[in-house]
């Protein structure tokens, strides 16, 4: 009974052959973790973006800029925002005409 | 699996190839699961930890530099997971589930062998954490002492001492005469 292999066998044995169910579970967990990580990154990006947008007004107010002085800047920012959304829709939207080009270039958005 | 083929699969897995990673899982699941089964004493918990360890390995595969074997790298990840899980699980809970595990995993086992298994598990649970892990790695000769030292992040001499003392304590648990304590 003092034999190492017997002790090891009593403590716990490995499966005799590779278990396909185990592999499937590992891959499912891997994909789930990747999805969660992506979701966390997206949430962080969106939160940061809105926080920065929200910071613009108090900062401008601190430096003595009113809404009238900020109007040209806001107009440009708004136009850039709309352009970004349109570009995103063209690349990733339901009728993504440039989706193929993006896939070829492997562009991360 | 030869080292060339393994290196090729690692390269593919780093590039996001799930099929290649699946083959690596198949190649190394035996050693990782055996280690965790011995160290936890619970097949379900061990397989759960092993799956987490493999999933984490996928994320940190870029850190693997090829100086050691991949299974050593994966077992290192698994060891960290086990240590973390152990912190959150009380020893009492583990003892309570030991009887249930026996009936779950070894239903056709004779009572004498079941009693031996239980005595061995109890003896394992009483070992210090590092000693237990060293013993679980080296006992079935799945890993060399040097590999175990790398996995556990301990000096080689310490691992050898852990294995020797741990083995002696297990043998004492079985009532083998003439062993050092």
């Amino acid at each position: 009974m003092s034999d190492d292999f017997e002790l090891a066998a009593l403590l716990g044995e490995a499966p005799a052959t590779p278990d396909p169910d185990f592999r499937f579970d590992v891959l499912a967990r891997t994909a789930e973790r990747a999805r969660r990580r992506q979701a966390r990154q997206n949430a962080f990006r969106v939160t940061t973006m809105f926080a920065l947008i929200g910071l613009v007004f108090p900062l401008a107010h601190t430096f003595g800029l009113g809404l009238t002085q900020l109007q040209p800047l806001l107009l440009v920012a708004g136009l850039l925002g709309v352009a970004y959304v349109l570009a995103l829709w063209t690349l990733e939207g339901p009728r993504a005409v440039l989706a193929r080009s993006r896939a070829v270039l492997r562009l991360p958005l | 699996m030869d080292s060339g083929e393994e290196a090729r699969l690692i390269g593919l897995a780093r590039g996001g190839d799930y099929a290649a990673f699946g083959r690596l899982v198949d190649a190394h699941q035996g050693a990782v699961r055996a280690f965790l089964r011995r160290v936890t004493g619970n097949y379900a918990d061990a397989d759960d930890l092993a799956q987490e360890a493999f999933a984490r390995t996928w994320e940190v595969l870029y850190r693997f530099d090829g100086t050691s074997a991949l299974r050593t790298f994966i077992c290192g990840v698994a060891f960290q997971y086990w240590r973390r899980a152990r912190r959150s699980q009380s020893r009492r809970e583990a003892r309570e589930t030991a009887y249930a595990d026996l009936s779950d995993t070894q239903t056709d086992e004779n009572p004498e062998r079941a009693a031996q298994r239980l005595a061995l598990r109890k003896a394992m649970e009483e070992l210090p954490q590092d000693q237990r892990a060293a013993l679980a790695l080296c006992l079935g000769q799945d890993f060399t002492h040097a590999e175990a030292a790398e996995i556990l992040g301990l000096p080689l001499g310490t691992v050898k001492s852990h294995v020797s003392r741990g083995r002696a304590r297990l043998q004492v648990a079985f009532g083998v005469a003439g062993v050092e304590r």
Side-chain angles (χ1 to χ4, degrees):
Chain A
M1 190 47 65
S2 62
D3 177 59
D4 271 9
F5 287 109
E6 195 148 9
L7 286 176
L10 277 168
L11 282 169
E13 286 173 291
T17 52
D19 181 358
D21 289 342
F22 181 84
R23 187 205 319 134
F24 180 80
D25 288 342
V26 168
L27 294 178
R29 277 190 194 218
T30 307
E32 175 63 17
R33 285 171 71 114
R35 193 191 61 75
R36 279 194 203 159
R37 199 173 53 248
Q38 186 66 47
R40 266 200 306 272
Q41 282 171 353
N42 284 344
F44 179 73
R45 205 166 50 190
V46 169
T47 310
T48 309
M49 199 174 72
F50 278 95
L52 287 175
I53 291 170
L55 266 176
V56 167
F57 295 98
L59 279 177
H61 189 71
T62 308
F63 290 109
L65 292 172
L67 206 59
T68 322
Q69 288 99 327
L70 274 178
Q71 211 168 19
L73 195 67
L74 289 175
L75 193 66
V76 171
L79 282 172
L80 282 175
V82 170
Y84 177 75
V85 170
L86 278 175
L88 211 62
W89 183 77
T90 315
L91 292 166
E92 286 194 329
R95 300 179 69 181
V97 287
L98 292 179
R100 194 176 169 78
S101 315
R102 184 183 154 238
V104 170
L105 292 170
R106 293 169 189 253
L107 272 175
L109 290 176
Chain B
M1 181 183 292
D2 65 87
S3 57
E5 174 67 359
E6 186 171 282
R8 190 183 73 81
L9 291 174
I10 291 169
L12 288 171
R14 277 183 180 145
D17 188 333
Y18 277 102
F21 185 64
R23 287 188 61 196
L24 291 171
V25 171
D26 280 350
H28 298 296
Q29 59 166 280
V32 178
R33 292 169 80 183
F35 162 56
L36 288 168
R37 283 175 177 190
R38 284 171 202 150
V39 87
T40 61
N42 180 312
Y43 279 28
D45 286 351
D47 283 358
D48 197 47
L49 281 174
Q51 286 172 13
E52 280 296 319
F54 274 109
R56 178 68 184 154
T57 299
W58 165 267
E59 291 169 0
V60 296
L61 204 53
Y62 65 90
R63 286 190 205 154
F64 177 67
D65 56 8
T67 51
S68 58
L70 180 64
R71 66 176 193 154
T72 307
F73 180 77
I74 301 168
C75 276
V77 175
F79 175 61
Q80 298 301 327
Y81 267 92
W82 171 64
R83 255 205 323 213
R84 208 178 304 162
R86 197 172 143 75
R87 268 184 234 130
S88 59
Q89 184 191 23
S90 74
R91 183 175 286 187
R92 188 178 161 204
E93 195 179 294
R95 278 189 186 148
E96 281 172 358
T97 55
Y99 288 94
D101 293 340
L102 283 176
S103 56
D104 284 349
T105 55
Q106 300 289 333
T107 47
D108 55 345
E109 197 171 42
N110 71 52
E112 190 191 348
R113 198 165 166 81
Q116 286 172 334
R117 187 186 294 276
L118 192 58
L120 199 60
R121 278 192 190 172
K122 279 183 177 170
M124 272 293 264
E125 280 165 22
E126 283 161 12
L127 294 178
Q129 189 171 279
D130 286 345
Q131 198 173 60
R132 189 168 158 187
L135 202 58
L137 285 165
C138 298
L139 205 59
Q141 295 186 4
D142 285 331
F143 294 88
T144 62
H145 287 141
E147 285 176 321
E150 194 176 337
I151 290 167
L152 306 176
L154 295 172
L156 181 59
T158 308
V159 168
K160 283 180 179 173
S161 158
H162 277 338
V163 173
S164 165
R165 286 182 186 170
R167 185 193 286 123
R169 288 180 71 170
L170 290 189
Q171 286 171 333
V172 166
F174 273 108
V176 177
V179 290
E180 64 172 85
R181 193 168 185 113

